[in-house]
Structures are given as structure tokens and as C-alpha cells.
Amino acid sequence: MTEARRPPWRWLVLVALLFAGWRVATLGLADHYARSSPERALFWRADHPEALLARAEALGRVGPEGPPTKADAEMAAEYARRALRADPLDGRPYRVLGQLAAAEGNEARAAGLFTLAARRAPRDRPAHFWLLDHHLKASRPAQAMPHLDTLLRIQPNLFTRFEPLLLALAGAPPAHAALADTLAKNPPWRARFLVLASSKGEDAAAMAPLFEQLRQTPGGLADNELGPWLDRLVREGRVGQAYLLWAGQLPKEKLAALGNVYNGGFEHEPAPVGFDWRFARVPGARIERLSTEGAGGRVALRVAFEDRRVPFAHVRQMLALPAGRYRFQAQAKADSLRTDRGLVWQLACVAGGKPLGETPPLLGHTPWRTLELAFEVPPGCEGQWLTLRLPARIPAEQRIGGRAWFDDLKISRLP
């Protein structure tokens, strides 16, 4: 078949392929230059949305010399509108128009445009930054918190930058309701914020209502959130407040274990927070709850030592005893417990100072027996530590082997 007699549709296919190739090539070039050289991108494709947005952002930028000139602002607005026509679903051009409105002093129009931008481009940080600042200046924490939450979710490393703001919100009761509502949704920055507030917040009394609100939300406060706050209250002498907050978090099945010593029979697995048992790891000793035929029945505490030097003071509980006279009692058993000094239960004020007293030492091989101590909590001793320790005076006296069992610990007030 000669060229003159080729079917016309073949020429149409060839033209279509050439046109498609041209479109792909120009689109690729426009995509390549959209951010680095938007003018060049627009030469290849005049309706490229990313290049149009880049030109709008460049012309509408507020720099050190101030807002854009009137001519630049008008061109920026035109580029932003063209970008919207090219991609109506993109919210970022609305942000550029919002910046231009804000530069003109039209705050209400700017707020509407930024809100639309954040809604259509939820990961656009400049829009959320502007709205966060806008609502905080107007004392509207409920409107500001969603933007703060979004920024911390999409860019977690902003947390350090926001620390002063977060601390200010934690200490501002008018912001607590909005802050608690946001935290109740368990954002990924929640625990870090609560630890920050506990450690660096200036006014514990001002922050207390926020923690109380969170305690009453479904799920309450997690151990890693509650612990630093309770420690803060105790350091400031608010032991009673800390105890009530901690006790209010306990599940119903553990309320029966409340007393001057909590969970004195070791029936419940300790949560090392607040006024529960705290077991710390130390080389040469193993601390565990085991079933036993002991004085308390079901479960007891066993500490097993590996016949080496151990600076042992790694079982303890914080108490909240008011001033007065008390008697401490514990059931104890020694199983080939080899030590020069023995193990003792010691009571001391959280603030430090001379110990309030300690039990007779446990050592050797003994059946279950009662260790007892009468002691007095003086006024000003806000919070006490009950600690199982090896009272070694020199390193050589730290050597210990064998096992010790404890059960049914309790403290009763004396008349």
C-alpha cells in the first residue's frame, strides 16, 4: 500500500501520540521546575497549580522589610486565584489570600480565609500557626487548641518550641476545659506534656484543677502521667492532696487494700506510682511476689540474694501518715539469710533527716515471726518512706546471701 493510500485514521493516531508525548514532556518539565523556578514551569504549563502557588507565596511574602507592595500583593492574589482555578480542592492558595488580607489589616477576612485553608489543607502548618496565634490573642482557647494539636501531631519536634505556651496553658484555669478536652482524645504528645507540666510548671495550685479534670475522664491518668505529678505535690508538701488523687485513681477491686500501708499483703501487682510499692532492680538481688504458706496466706514478698555485695534499699513505699504515734508490724521469715547486719524495715520523712526508727534485723534461718516497731511522726514530717534496706556501714557489710520473706505489713495508730 502506497503512502497516498494509507487510511486517514493512522495519521490521526500519529498526531494524537505526538500530542500526548508533548503533554507528558511539558508536564514533567513543569513539575520539575514548579518550586525551584516557577516562572520556567509556567512557561511549559501556564496552569500548573504548584508553580502558581509558588509565585503567589513569593510575591505575597511578608519579609523583614515589611508587607509586599501593592503591585506585588495584587499579582500574588491573581496567582493564588489562578492556582485555585487549576486545583479547587487545594487550601493553600486561600492561606496566601489570608496573608494578604492580614497584611492589609482586614483581620476578619483573614480569619475566614485561613480557616478555609486549614480545612482544605489540614497539614498546612502556616495556616494553623496563624489561627493558633489569632485565637489565643482573642482569649479563645477552645478554638486555638485544635490547631495546636494538629501542629504537634504533624510535626512532633515542635514540642520544644511550644513548651512556654504549653506551660502557660497548664497554669491558666480558663484554658483547662479546652486543654482537658483535647488531652482526653489521647494525642501522641499528651504524656510528654503532663510530665513537662509536672516538672516545670510554676504554680502547682493553678495546675491542680487540670489534673483533676483529667482524672475524671474515661481512663483517668496513666501511671507515667500521674507519677510525676504526685511526686511534684509531695515535694511541695501537698502529701494529703497527692494521696487523695492517687487513691481516687484506684480500681474498685484494689480499694480494700487501702490503709496506712497499701497492699501490705502483696496481693496486688504493684504499680510503682504514688503510694504503691516500688521495687527497683539491683544486681545481686531478685525481688518478686510468690505464693506461700506464709502468715498472710496467698502471696508474700520474697527477696533472694546471690551472696555478693548489694547496697540494698530497693523495696519501699511512700506513706501519708499525719503527726502522731504509731506501731509498725510485719510478718517475716529468713531462709539461710547470711549477712552481718540483717535486713530491717526503716521509716524516714520524705524530706530527709534522721530516720524515725527501724525494726530489729532479720537474718539467719527463722520461721515466720512478727517484726515490730513503735515510732512517732513529728509535726512537719509531710510524707514518709517505708523502706526495706540493708543497714551496712561499710562496703564489706553489704555482702548478703539467702532469702527473706515478708507478708501482712500494717501500721496502726497508738493512743
Side-chain angles (χ1 to χ4, degrees), residues 32-113:
H32 177 74
Y33 290 114
R35 279 291 169 180
S36 61
S37 181
E39 299 93 338
R40 187 178 297 183
L42 292 172
F43 170 81
W44 291 107
R45 186 179 173 189
D47 63 345
H48 193 282
E50 197 68 29
L52 291 167
L53 175 63
R55 287 295 293 144
E57 290 175 332
L59 290 166
R61 184 175 293 115
V62 177
E65 65 281 359
T69 65
K70 183 178 180 180
D72 283 347
E74 289 175 350
M75 291 181 64
E78 177 58 26
Y79 276 115
R81 286 190 286 267
R82 287 173 59 189
L84 283 172
R85 287 194 293 271
D87 186 359
L89 298 180
D90 190 359
R92 293 173 297 169
Y94 288 108
R95 182 244 300 158
V96 175
L97 294 173
Q99 291 169 334
L100 295 172
E104 294 174 355
N106 192 337
E107 193 84 359
R109 173 172 162 75
L113 289 166

Side-chain angles (χ1 to χ4, degrees), residues 158-174:
L158 285 172
F159 188 92
T160 302
R161 176 177 172 180
F162 281 137
E163 280 190 5
L165 171 60
L166 291 167
L167 289 172
L169 292 171

